[in-house]
Amino acid sequence: MLTIGIDKHPKPHTQAQYILLYDNQVIVAGHSFLFSLDDFQPDKEASPVFCGTWQEKDIFVCILNKKPTGLESISLRELLFRENEDNFLILSRAQQLAHWDRDHQFCGRCGTEMTTKHEREHTKICPSCNLRHYPRISPCIIVSIRKGNTLLLARAPHMKEGMYSNIAGFVEAGEPLEEAVHREVFEEVGIRVKNIEYIGSQPWSFPHQLMVGFYAEYESGDITPAEGEIESADWFSISELPITPNLSSISGQLIQSHCDRIQDNEAT
């Protein structure tokens, strides 16, 4: 289990392990994505960021300007889909922290170069105006909607051929999560839902979302896909589902667990 903790962040050291990013991909050696300092040559631009303690090792992440000789790279999305939940979490955290460090070189308020980090928190402190810059986290809702023994699944234009998933969308400023569920569902497929139930959450590092998962039940309306957002949407029997996301993702987990619940209710 990843321990974030509240202790003073350590400096990079020889006993630590490192997650290496290059050209928006993760460096791997076979099935391993963790390296020691002996495995690569860090440069002054690598800027290691402490991620936490995992498997009794301090973990850092670096963005490299050059891929180490003899090592391969893989997209984070592809790598996440083949990992277990613990590995999923450390990789997601590493990606978000590395991009926060890279994207906050200057203060967004006064433009001063950001050279100071808090010793116990992931925040950069402007030496001029004292504004703190934390890693950005963007909350998104994702909802599995039931109507009888069917689930509503939708297909966005960017999805691979034949794949369908749940309705999802970003939460607006000042908006409660439950209201975001109502709004996104109506905006994307034109129906109303009820009995919204929180199920779980998952970090989703593309680039910095926190997916908050719900179940809901159909209340009223006809499916009307939003132009440009939803290519198609329909009610699918839980026994005849189309291609859906991998169980590594919260979308796949919601679909599977909702199907299991429906089957359990039908059996009682």
Side-chain angles (χ1 to χ4, degrees), residues 107-152:
C107 178
R109 175 189 284 168
C110 69
T112 302
E113 185 176 5
M114 303 284 285
T115 59
T116 304
K117 294 181 183 179
H118 195 284
E119 63 178 13
R120 286 183 172 82
E121 300 177 2
H122 283 101
T123 180
K124 292 187 176 183
I125 306 170
C126 178
S128 178
C129 69
N130 208 40
L131 181 66
R132 295 191 176 199
H133 295 260
Y134 290 89
R136 180 179 176 184
I137 300 173
S138 301
C140 299
I141 61 88
I142 182 166
V143 54
S144 176
I145 304 167
R146 173 188 180 182
K147 181 181 181 183
N149 67 346
T150 66
L151 295 180
L152 187 146

Side-chain angles (χ1 to χ4, degrees), residues 209-230:
Q209 287 99 297
L210 175 64
M211 305 301 295
V212 186
F214 296 88
Y215 292 158
E217 295 180 10
Y218 168 81
E219 182 174 52
S220 63
D222 297 322
I223 294 176
T224 308
E227 185 175 355
E229 295 286 335
I230 301 297

